[in-house]
Each structure stands twice: as C-alpha cells, then as structure tokens.
Amino acid sequence: MKRLACLIILFCSGQLATGQLSGFHYVSPRPHSILNSRGTNIIIRQGHTIDRSSVDDSQLTVRGSGSGIHTGRFFLSDDNKTLLFASFNAYAPGETVAVGLSAGIKTVDSKDVGSLEFSFTISPVRDGANLPVVPQAEPASSPGATSLHMSNSAAHTDSVPADWPKITVGTINNPAEGNIFLTNQSQTANKAIGSYLMILDNDGSPFNYKKIPTAANGFKMEVNGDLSFNFKSSGARIILDTSLTPIDTLQGGNGYRTDGHDFLLLPNGHAFVIASDPEPVDMSQVVPGGNPDAIVTGLVVQEIDASQNVVFQWRSWDYLPITGSYFDLTQQAIDLIHANALAVAGDGNILVSLRHYSSVVKIDRETGEVVWILGGKGNQFTFINEHASNAPTYFSYQHDIDVLPNGHLTLFDNGTQHSPEYSRGVEYSLDEQNKTATMVWDYRHSPDIYADAMGSVERLPNGNTLVGWGQATGAGIPALTEVHPDNSTALEFFLPAGQFCYRAYKYHWVSQNPEASVPALEVLQGNTYTFNTAGDSTGIAMTFKQITGYTYASAGVTSYSYAPVNPAFAGTPPIVAPLYFTIQGLDITSYNAQVGVDLHLFPGISLPRQTVVYVRPLPTDPFSPLPTSYDSSKNELVFTTTEFGDFAFGVPQSVAAYSPVPISPKNNDIV
C-alpha cells in the first residue's frame, strides 16, 4: 500500500511524465496514469484523416499484466481521425496495461500513421461500476427511446393538477419574450406537491408541463430543438421531443457513473457528459491528519459521439492536485471536485466549473491539456474591477458557467467563501493572452440571497439576465429573478414554501418551428431573389445562374434558430452553429445558384472567416462541405449550390487551429 500511496501523491499532484507521445496529439488513458477504470476504452488520435480500410485488429496489442491479452473492437470514430479500442473483458484491478500500435494504418493521403507504445494502471477497486459496456456494432444505431413512467403532458391549459406547485409572480415589468423552463424540488418529503417539468408563460401560467415520478435537474432546450433533463437520482440524460415525449437516453461510457449536474448536446451530434470517480487514497500521505482509508471522488469529462462511443476523456487525477480543493481533506469521504457545469468556448475547447476548487478550467479539446485555470488556489488570472472584499476567491463554489457570443464568461457565484455569504450573477471579460478577468457586470439581490448550492445565470437575447436562485428557500426568497441591463427587476417568480429549482432557463419556444419561411414565385434564370419580407426575413439571397424546370417554377427558404436534428457528416464533424436553413424547389428539375447569407441575421456565427456551409439533400443524408467565402464588406457568407435540402454552418476542426503544446525539454532545462 505504501507504494500505491506514493504513486497517488505523484499523479494527483499533476506531476505526470509526458502526456502525449511524439507524433500523436491525444492518447487516452494518459500514458503512465493510474486509477483508470476497469472498463476504460483506449483512444488514439494522430491528427490526420485516416483511411478506414487500413484499420485492422491485428495492428493493436493490449496486454494486462494480470489479465493477459485483451481482444475487443478496434475501429475508427465518426470523425475519421480517432482510433478506438473497446475490450470485450474488464481489466484486472490494479494491473498495468501495455498498449502497442504497429505501423500500417494509413492516412487518406497514404502516409503511415506510425507506431506507438504506452502503458497505464487500473484502479485497485474490485467492486463497483468500473466495468465495461459491451461495445456497439459499427455502424451504431440510435440507442432508442427509454421507457419512463411519466404522465402525459398537457399544453395550453387553464387547469392544473391538484398537486401542482403553484407559481406566484411578484413583479412583471417588461420581461423578455419567451417561456420559463424549470423543474421543482422539495427540501423535505412533501407528497402534497408533485414533481413536474414545467414550461411557463411570463405570468406563471403553464404553457406545457409533464408530471414525473421524482425530482429532476436541468430541464432545458438543446441546440437541435429537442428537450432534455435527468432525474436527480440518475445521471442518464433523457431526451424529449417537443411534445415532451421521451425519445432517447444518453450517458457516458468506460464504466463510469454519469453525473447529472450538466450535459451538453452538440450541434454535430456529439455530447459532453461528466462523471464521478470515487477512488481509495491514503490521504495521510497527502495532508496532515489525512485518513489512510479515504475515498476521494475525482472528475471525468467525456465527449461521446453519436453512437455513444467515448472519443475524448479528461480525468482530474491526471491534471489537478488534490490539495487544490477547498474541501476538508481530513474527511473519510472527500467530494474533491464536484464539477457542476460545462460550456464550450468560442474556439471549441471545453470549460468546466469545479465547485470545490472555486475554479473554472479550460481544457484543450484536441490534446486534453489544461489551457488555464480561473479562480481558486491555482488561479492564473488577475481580477480587475472586482469587489476587493471578496478577494482572493472573487467567486466561490460557483455554478452554471456559460460563454456569451462576445466571448464573455457568465456564472452563478454561490458565494460560500464571501463574508458575509451572499450569491450573485457575474460576467467577466477574459483576456486569455494577458490573463486578466475584468468584471463587467454583476447582480446582487436586495436584500441579499444566499444559495449554498445550485443556481443559474442566463443572458437573454434582449439583454436581460435570468438568475435562478438554486437551493435558496425561505419567506420572501424568489425562485428566479429576471433583471434589465440596469439591474432593475423585470420578472420575479416564487415557488411554494420549501420548493426550489436546480436551474431556470428562458427560451423563445420554437417547438422546432421555423424562424422564418419565405417563397419566391416564378423564379427565372439570371435573376436574384432575396427571401425576405417585411415581417419574415430569412437573410438568404439567391442568384440563379442556371435553372431548368416548368414555367411557373418556384423556390423557398426556411430558417431555423436551432441546429439540424440528428446531423451526420461525410468527414470530420465540425463545430456546428446552432442554426440552419433549407432551400426547397417546386417544378425545378435542376439549378445552379450563388447564395449569400446575411450574417446580421445569423448572430450565432461568431467566426465567419473560418465558417463553411454544409449541405444534406435529405435528413437521412450526411452533411458535405461546400466551398465557402466571406465578404467582409457585406458581412456575408457566399457559396454556390445545385442542391435542395438542409444547409448548416460549421467551423472545421483542424490541428492547425490549436496552439502548439511544449512537451520536452521543459522550459529553462539544461540539455
């Protein structure tokens, strides 16, 4: 046990040997890492598009020091760059696993990917969840809808069930348009009030709702227009259609129990999930008074593809020191990290909120390396324009991080380490190069509200901000407050006594309906048509360079304020913007048109120079890229097409888009 304790100290202090091997951008499990799940898969990414036909089982050898040779499924993920191996059998507790990749796998331009060798060690835990899931066949189909005992939903109703949690509205003063999405939870057992998924109008009346058997977290709308939530007792994410009918269940892999604190469904069909990882650690070797038999719960962040294969995994054991936590490290059970929120930065990298570190970390999605740490003991930023009384933990035990279109970061500051304790919403402008965090806005309720857990902050399209007060309850304490840019109250909701809400959201409820739909009748070759009317603007203009069809041929454009449903891509999935449009034709047999996209009406496209338009003729087809240019004088994307169908916007994922990571030798080393 002494040797194991020393290894744990070494690796949990972030003092790992080289995490990436020469010629490969990402390897998981991290070379020489410990405490890996018995059900972990192996992920290898060299960075270039691979010729799928060159991938063969014989090129990968996986040998456990106790369990021997492992057989499994060795295959290529949907990005055509990432090699995955899923063992048919669990690894033995505490064993070291050696991985060898032989030469022979080719890129699409016939270059050899190369060979590689590395090893990692399995957790000593014999019992528990760290067991493999049987690998899916390739290509994988949708996991399918889950069977849930949930009451039918009710929409546009004036009557509510007897156990409905009555909403009281305290203030209505020109709130933003949209519907409030929330779930109710109770501090104590209260059979008189049921658990509900609620979509509410600004006056508190139900627009739609569904009764559920137990309390739930994070009821929200995803980027493709579907809805999702998870039961408080289970981390699996349940996907609903717009009628509130369950259609799918998503969770992470590699034997970890998915954590329900947050979930991100990405526009390219992938998803980010978080998981908890309790492991035995001799804490007497880490801190004075530490328990030698402690169970320390670490963090695992996973990206899963559309078939629920883990294609990226990041573990706190590999990168964060145990001593960076503010949790009492002398306890027997240590909730070390308590990650509670995820966000995707404008450059596609990952942000994670670490509650018990009072920190937000940015993780390079390509390499897994930590880009920076904001807040807490490991803080790398200088805070500007903040409240000096909150130093050095300007925000603490925070929740619900988000990235605004302008790149600013918002979060719910629970304020556990403030004196006195109070909660607030806060917004920072980050200069990532000079490592400064400038507070540009915060909202503190009057009188103060302190939520020891949960909470949310959402910037709305009209500039208002919706603040959910999480687990704060008591006389006169609202469940949510919407404020104008000057922090005056626009809307305030109250739940019944003892009830609270994990997070609150407001959406322009589209129900997967179009944002705008405009036809053009009797289209002619050589003419340009702008698919905009006084009350309906799609932002699309088309010049028909060639057209064949009937005399009264017509065309139409429909735009949507969410991402395409169930996207797939012919090549590497890009980072997709949460919006798309369709082009339809009637009595047109063929055409060739130049299309202009007015980005003033597509604010979700934040990197226009790197953005590519993708097309799929049918919803079952994969998206393919079209040559796309950006006209900065008009703020317009321009492309040519001959297809009808769906058109999406994506930023291609490219190794060149990431900054190089120095590996060896270390800075200032003598060589």
Side-chain angles (χ1 to χ4, degrees):
M1 180 60 74
K2 287 287 186 182
R3 181 169 179 267
L4 178 61
C6 292
L7 284 172
I8 289 173
I9 295 169
L10 173 66
F11 288 105
C12 294
S13 298
Q15 303 299 318
L16 275 174
T18 299
Q20 313 302 330
L21 301 184
S22 178
F24 291 84
H25 294 108
Y26 176 75
V27 172
S28 177
R30 202 177 192 208
H32 312 300
S33 61
I34 65 171
L35 301 179
N36 288 285
S37 164
R38 294 182 61 200
T40 191
N41 73 341
I42 293 169
I43 310 170
I44 300 171
R45 185 163 55 244
Q46 195 254 7
H48 298 285
T49 304
I50 291 174
D51 178 359
R52 188 176 293 268
S53 66
S54 70
V55 179
D56 186 90
D57 288 349
S58 63
Q59 293 155 328
L60 189 75
T61 302
V62 179
R63 183 190 298 272
S65 59
S67 57
I69 291 290
H70 280 253
T71 58
R73 191 163 69 93
F74 183 46
F75 60 105
L76 194 60
S77 177
D78 61 3
D79 67 357
N80 293 313
K81 293 181 179 181
T82 305
L83 294 163
L84 305 174
F85 174 80
S87 175
F88 291 139
N89 300 298
Y91 298 105
E95 73 173 338
T96 297
V97 179
V99 179
L101 178 70
S102 61
I105 296 177
K106 303 290 185 182
T107 64
V108 290
D109 54 1
S110 299
K111 294 181 180 178
D112 201 292
V113 168
S115 60
L116 122 99
E117 293 182 355
F118 67 98
S119 64
F120 56 89
T121 302
I122 300 300
S123 167
V125 176
R126 291 186 174 275
D127 301 317
N130 289 342
L131 296 173
V133 177
V134 176
Q136 300 180 44
E138 185 185 12
S141 59
S142 167
T146 187
S147 176
L148 299 173
H149 298 290
M150 299 166 64
S151 302
N152 292 333
S153 60
H156 303 286
T157 180
D158 294 325
S159 62
V160 293
D163 63 351
W164 176 260
K166 183 181 178 181
I167 305 294
T168 303
V169 181
T171 299
I172 298 183
N173 177 22
N174 194 29
E177 294 183 357
N179 297 97
I180 304 291
F181 284 61
L182 58 82
T183 60
N184 62 306
Q185 297 184 24
S186 181
Q187 284 188 322
T188 58
N190 187 348
K191 295 182 180 180
I193 298 179
S195 297
Y196 286 88
L197 307 177
M198 294 180 277
I199 304 175
L200 307 173
D201 287 328
N202 277 328
D203 63 2
S205 61
F207 180 87
N208 203 345
Y209 66 86
K210 180 182 283 287
K211 185 173 182 179
I212 52 179
T214 185
N217 286 343
F219 178 44
K220 64 177 180 176
M221 186 167 66
E222 300 296 344
V223 293
N224 65 357
D226 286 336
L227 308 175
S228 75
F229 77 99
N230 64 273
F231 289 113
K232 187 177 178 181
S233 58
S234 171
R237 197 71 178 182
I238 298 164
I239 309 299
L240 311 170
D241 65 17
T242 54
S243 69
L244 303 188
T245 301
I247 57 174
D248 209 345
T249 303
L250 298 179
Q251 57 187 343
N254 290 355
Y256 295 108
R257 183 182 185 276
T258 304
D259 188 309
H261 280 91
D262 205 2
F263 166 91
L264 288 179
L265 183 62
L266 304 180
N268 65 359
H270 288 209
F272 280 119
V273 300
I274 54 180
S276 299
D277 182 22
E279 297 287 351
V281 178
D282 180 358
M283 289 298 293
S284 69
Q285 302 292 311
V286 182
V287 294
N291 191 315
D293 299 313
I295 299 298
V296 181
T297 300
L299 163 68
V300 179
V301 178
Q302 294 178 338
E303 179 180 352
I304 57 174
D305 66 15
S307 300
Q308 296 199 46
N309 300 303
V310 179
V311 296
F312 176 88
Q313 179 168 280
W314 185 92
R315 305 184 321 138
S316 62
W317 303 112
D318 299 336
Y319 296 96
L320 299 177
I322 284 181
T323 52
S325 177
Y326 291 104
F327 198 87
D328 182 356
L329 300 182
T330 64
Q331 296 293 310
Q332 195 275 329
I334 298 173
D335 186 7
L336 187 71
I337 308 288
H338 200 102
N340 56 24
L342 298 165
V344 177
D347 57 9
N349 292 319
I350 313 163
L351 302 182
V352 188
S353 169
L354 312 180
R355 171 180 165 88
H356 288 163
Y357 278 61
S358 291
S359 300
V360 177
V361 298
K362 184 174 185 179
I363 301 168
D364 191 311
R365 192 173 170 186
E366 179 70 17
T367 66
E369 299 298 322
V370 173
V371 180
W372 48 250
I373 299 175
L374 174 70
K377 298 178 185 178
N379 175 55
Q380 298 171 337
F381 284 73
T382 299
F383 284 84
I384 300 172
N385 200 36
E386 254 287 14
H387 303 293
S389 59
N390 291 338
T393 48
Y394 291 103
F395 61 84
S396 65
Y397 280 42
Q398 74 290 335
H399 205 252
D400 196 50
I401 56 174
D402 195 15
V403 178
L404 302 181
N406 63 3
H408 289 188
L409 177 71
T410 62
L411 56 86
F412 183 79
D413 175 13
N414 290 81
T416 301
Q417 295 164 299
H418 297 338
S419 181
E421 295 172 326
Y422 71 92
S423 302
R424 62 174 178 156
V426 63
E427 174 186 354
Y428 295 107
S429 172
L430 301 182
D431 182 336
E432 298 185 51
Q433 181 175 355
N434 296 308
K435 295 293 191 297
T436 61
T438 302
M439 191 187 78
V440 296
W441 169 89
D442 73 341
Y443 172 70
R444 181 174 177 176
H445 194 274
S446 180
D448 276 338
I449 295 174
Y450 172 58
D452 62 346
M454 309 183 190
S456 57
V457 172
E458 181 190 13
R459 180 62 44 78
L460 303 175
N462 74 337
N464 287 3
T465 305
L466 184 68
V467 179
W469 295 109
Q471 200 166 281
T473 60
I477 295 180
L480 61 90
T481 304
E482 181 183 331
V483 296
H484 297 296
D486 64 359
N487 281 355
S488 61
T489 303
L491 181 68
E492 204 151 63
F493 274 15
F494 296 82
L495 284 166
Q499 296 276 302
F500 60 91
C501 176
Y502 181 76
R503 280 186 175 104
Y505 300 95
K506 178 179 269 192
Y507 302 110
H508 176 52
W509 177 230
V510 295
S511 300
Q512 293 186 334
N513 291 324
E515 191 75 9
S517 186
V518 179
L521 305 178
E522 300 182 32
V523 294
L524 298 174
Q525 184 169 305
N527 285 0
T528 298
Y529 300 86
T530 57
F531 291 84
N532 304 312
T533 64
D536 225 6
S537 298
T538 67
I540 304 299
M542 296 180 64
T543 300
F544 287 89
K545 296 186 288 186
Q546 176 271 323
I547 186 170
T548 59
Y550 299 96
T551 303
Y552 299 107
S554 62
V557 172
T558 303
S559 61
Y560 298 85
S561 59
Y562 54 88
V565 177
N566 298 325
F569 291 84
T572 302
I575 300 169
V576 183
L579 37 84
Y580 75 107
F581 68 94
T582 65
I583 300 175
Q584 310 92 26
L586 179 64
D587 292 333
I588 297 176
T589 55
S590 69
Y591 81 101
N592 183 301
Q594 179 175 292
V595 182
V597 182
D598 182 358
L599 296 187
H600 294 99
L601 295 179
F602 290 84
I605 299 175
S606 57
L607 298 171
R609 297 183 189 279
Q610 292 109 299
T611 297
V612 172
V613 175
Y614 293 76
V615 62
R616 66 177 180 188
L618 297 172
T620 54
D621 292 334
F623 278 100
S624 299
L626 296 171
T628 307
S629 61
Y630 174 59
D631 185 341
S632 59
S633 64
K634 298 180 179 179
N635 193 25
E636 182 179 81
L637 291 179
V638 180
F639 66 95
T640 298
T641 185
T642 60
E643 300 279 6
F644 295 115
D646 296 335
F647 294 81
F649 306 93
V651 176
Q653 296 189 63
S654 169
V655 175
Y658 296 89
S659 300
V661 178
I663 294 175
S664 180
K666 293 181 179 179
N667 191 32
N668 297 324
D669 267 7
I670 297 174
V671 179

